[in-house]
Amino acid sequence: MFDNVWLIPLFPLIGFLINGLLGKKIKNETVIGSIGALAVFASFIVSVMTFIKLIGLPTAERSVNVKIFTWMTAGTFNADIAFLIDPLSCLMLLVVTGIGTLIHIYSIGYMHGEEGFYRFFAYLNLFVFSMLLLVTGNNLLLMFVGWEGVGLCSYLLIGYYFHKKSAGDAGKKAFVMNRVGDFGFLLGTFTLFWWLGQNHGIWTIQFTELASNANLFPTGGVVTIITLCFFLGATGKSAQIPLYTWLPDAMEGPTPVSALIHAATMVTAGVYMIARMSYLFIRSPETMMTVAVIGACTAFFAATIGTAQNDIKRVLAYSTVSQLGYMFLAMGVGAFTAGVFHLMTHAFFKACLFLGSGAVIHSMHHALHHVHSHDDAQDMRNMGGLAKYMPMTYGTFLLATIAIAGIPGFSGFFSKDEILWQAFANPLHGGLNMLLWGLGACAALMTAFYMFRLVFMTFHGSCRIKPGAEKHLHESPMVIVFPLIVLAILSIVGGYIGLPKLIGDLFGGIPNYLEHYLEPVFANANAYIQAHTHHGHHSHALEWGLMGTSVVIAVVGISVAYLLYIASPEIPKKFTSAFPALHRAVYNKWYIDELYDFLIVNPCKALGRFLWKGFDVLVVDGIVNGVAHVVMAFGGVIRYMQTGQIYNYAWSMAFGVVVIIGYYLFK
């Protein structure tokens, strides 16, 4: 039934091979871009067909393993190239291929004229291929191949402008920090495989087999060790405290790369992995609490930094870190469906926001180039009033901003409100719930503020671009605008498949389609929660009250942004003058990068220099060079014995005869 599933990752791989091997010869940008976009679109079509087949099956049968071939065999261990098709993987397939297609189309216009155009699309296709392998692999080993693949591609794409030192440094930073997380993933995999095999004779890393044997895992103990190792992997890939600093620096890559990394691929990998292994995580209260606390703290902490940034892409980058924190908060309180729901809605509005910012930057670059200005095209302080020059970009950007702010009727409201409600009412963490909800609510307030600050500074007020440049500001071509329109529509309607029961009942009993759809995936984890926790009753009035509070929080954030950047724009300057130290700390990202440099980077560099100059040069090279000098000196001595003159050899022979005779005479 699902025999054609292998085509989903194959198409982007073919696109990568064609553009990577032949792109330099093809040269035509339209052809190269079309190959890349059509490859991902073909995967999207097959994904849609697979989804239709899946929902046509009875709920209990919506989990299918499709084996392609056996990869390796060692004793009782088998690793297959096989795909797991279930509601979770199908949803991820639609998100990755759908958003990926729109980003590829956008890239045709955005990357026009760039050096290495073919190389960009080859990397982009390889990125999508790796992510598809990650979300469809039916075992931990195949997932890890995709996991490493997206890490490699992120390095290539973030450092795409490799002639810039900052881009090269950002690529290396992402690569190294992800290696820390990858170590945790591998350690968790090895420990899980060893424990289950050693204690129960089940030598497997296949997800369906692990889920069917979930009852064998004890609560806490070794499960805590295993899940914390996996969570370390997730913090690296999904940019959570303390391994988040690589993601804002990833802005050095082209804007389509930022959109792909932040919306549909790489950063969602950690969330997906926890969701996939929910039956294991739920058996460790310690890990669940760690995930929830780290997620809530990341959401809050990143939001504070976003309030003071002036680079349009950097604001969105910290917004991504914060929104990922919400997803981890959901996972940590056992609201797995809500976490996946926010992953999906976030993909819609965040892709729209990044691509919209790219359109703004593209137009700013064009305008500044015409007046020979070297002003920063990404600095919002150089923008203002762009709405009248770029009405379509402004309209789509505004809709996505309303969605992320959590205004009712938009997708972000439904998913974010569900997470906040679950953080408050979940039965796992007791007295900690209020703190988790409070951190999430404060993050929501700051999100609404800094996102509308971005909108007001960029599109409203007077135009602050260099005089004369405003004449060259223009709306982007349709190849750039079209993906924005599609994503803006999804930012509005994408949340209605996951209506909370409270709202669904208000409108005549509309079910939560997403919850019912994902129910088989999280049935094991939900059953464990039901069996091992005490569920207190929460009134509908309380839920309505918290929902109303969320709306008020969003409105307050928007109102404060309007007051500070439209009604009274002089207030921010007064505030920074009154609290210069606080502003400097937030603007400089609380000096976390500097702290890491002091504690980790500089000591490692010092150790490297010592091992190089103190050990390698002095000891290793000293030994090698010393041996050479000894040999040379010895050779310099004995060379006098090899003069090439016969009388010297005769004297040597005579001397030898005398020595031998003397030895026998006087011994």
Side-chain angles (χ1 to χ4, degrees), residues 310 381 384 449 453 456-457 460-462 464 559-577:
N310 295 314
R381 292 170 295 185
F449 166 75
R453 170 181 177 266
F456 295 144
M457 288 183 69
H460 291 260
S462 58
R464 297 179 296 275
S559 302
V560 173
Y562 179 84
L563 173 66
L564 297 184
Y565 293 94
I566 299 294
S568 304
E570 72 279 358
I571 295 179
K573 292 181 180 179
K574 293 179 180 178
F575 180 84
T576 55
S577 299

Side-chain angles (χ1 to χ4, degrees), residues 320-333:
T320 298
V321 177
S322 183
Q323 296 302 306
L324 287 166
Y326 275 108
M327 299 174 205
F328 277 89
L329 171 60
M331 296 294 164
V333 299

Side-chain angles (χ1 to χ4, degrees), residues 213-225:
N213 293 288
N215 62 306
L216 299 176
F217 293 100
T219 299
V222 69
V223 175
T224 298
I225 296 172

Side-chain angles (χ1 to χ4, degrees), residues 56-394:
L57 296 175
T59 302
E61 299 177 14
R62 291 179 184 175
S63 181
V64 181
N65 284 285
V66 183
K67 181 180 176 180
I68 308 301
F69 61 87
T70 298
W71 181 10
M72 61 179 77
T73 301
T76 57
F77 171 72
N78 290 302
D80 298 326
I81 300 295
F83 304 114
L84 174 59
I85 304 302
D86 70 351
L88 179 60
S89 62
C90 262
L91 180 65
M92 292 298 297
L93 285 175
L94 293 175
V95 171
V96 173
T97 56
I99 302 296
T101 299
L102 294 172
I103 292 173
H104 276 71
I105 295 171
Y106 176 96
S107 299
I108 296 173
Y110 188 87
M111 298 299 291
H112 171 66
E114 288 281 357
E115 185 181 356
F117 187 88
Y118 77 94
R119 176 166 56 89
F120 177 83
F121 274 89
Y123 292 165
L124 221 56
N125 275 173
L126 185 61
F127 204 172
V128 173
F129 163 75
S130 299
M131 190 64 190
L132 293 175
L133 204 61
L134 190 157
V135 300
T136 56
N138 85 330
N139 60 76
L140 280 165
L141 193 58
L142 196 56
M143 175 187 275
F144 186 72
V145 173
W147 189 275
E148 288 294 282
V150 294
L152 171 63
C153 293
S154 70
Y155 168 75
L156 296 172
L157 287 167
I158 294 169
Y160 178 77
Y161 299 119
F162 57 85
H163 54 276
K164 291 172 57 183
K165 184 179 183 302
S166 57
D169 289 345
K172 287 184 286 187
K173 186 176 184 179
F175 193 80
V176 170
M177 294 195 77
N178 272 274
R179 295 294 74 73
V180 177
D182 296 347
F183 172 75
F185 188 109
L186 279 176
L187 195 59
T189 300
F190 294 151
T191 308
L192 173 62
F193 178 73
W194 169 83
W195 185 88
L196 195 58
Q198 193 72 20
N199 290 277
H200 300 283
I202 302 172
W203 302 94
T204 185
I205 52 173
Q206 188 176 319
F207 293 123
T208 51
E209 292 181 3
L210 291 173
S212 63
N213 293 288
N215 62 306
L216 299 176
F217 293 100
T219 299
V222 69
V223 175
T224 298
I225 296 172
I226 294 170
T227 50
L228 284 176
C229 287
F230 279 118
F231 179 57
L232 176 61
T235 60
K237 201 65 73 182
S238 296
Q240 297 295 285
I241 293 173
L243 301 178
Y244 73 92
T245 58
W246 70 269
L247 190 57
D249 289 355
M251 299 302 99
E252 290 291 340
T255 299
V257 173
S258 303
L260 195 58
I261 290 177
H262 287 246
T265 58
M266 191 163 169
V267 297
T268 62
V271 181
Y272 170 79
M273 184 263 287
I274 293 177
R276 172 59 68 200
M277 303 184 72
S278 58
Y279 49 83
L280 197 61
F281 276 79
I282 200 63
R283 283 167 165 78
S284 174
E286 295 84 3
T287 300
M288 293 293 287
M289 182 175 294
T290 302
V291 174
V293 171
I294 292 292
C297 290
T298 302
F300 176 83
F301 184 75
T304 64
I305 300 174
T307 60
Q309 302 305 304
N310 295 314
D311 185 300
I312 187 171
K313 286 177 65 177
R314 197 164 287 272
V315 175
L316 295 177
Y318 280 104
S319 167
T320 298
V321 177
S322 183
Q323 296 302 306
L324 287 166
Y326 275 108
M327 299 174 205
F328 277 89
L329 171 60
M331 296 294 164
V333 299
F336 300 106
T337 299
V340 174
F341 186 23
H342 197 59
L343 183 156
M344 182 190 72
T345 60
H346 176 263
F348 300 151
F349 55 69
K350 186 51 59 71
C352 185
L353 290 168
F354 264 111
L355 297 185
S357 71
V360 169
I361 295 167
H362 192 268
S363 184
M364 288 287 294
H365 268 301
H366 176 78
L368 291 171
H369 175 73
H370 273 278
V371 296
H372 307 290
S373 173
H374 297 288
D375 289 347
D376 188 353
Q378 296 183 192
D379 194 325
M380 297 184 296
R381 292 170 295 185
N382 298 327
M383 302 175 186
L386 297 186
K388 63 180 178 182
Y389 302 104
M390 308 177 70
M392 292 297 296
T393 300
Y394 168 65

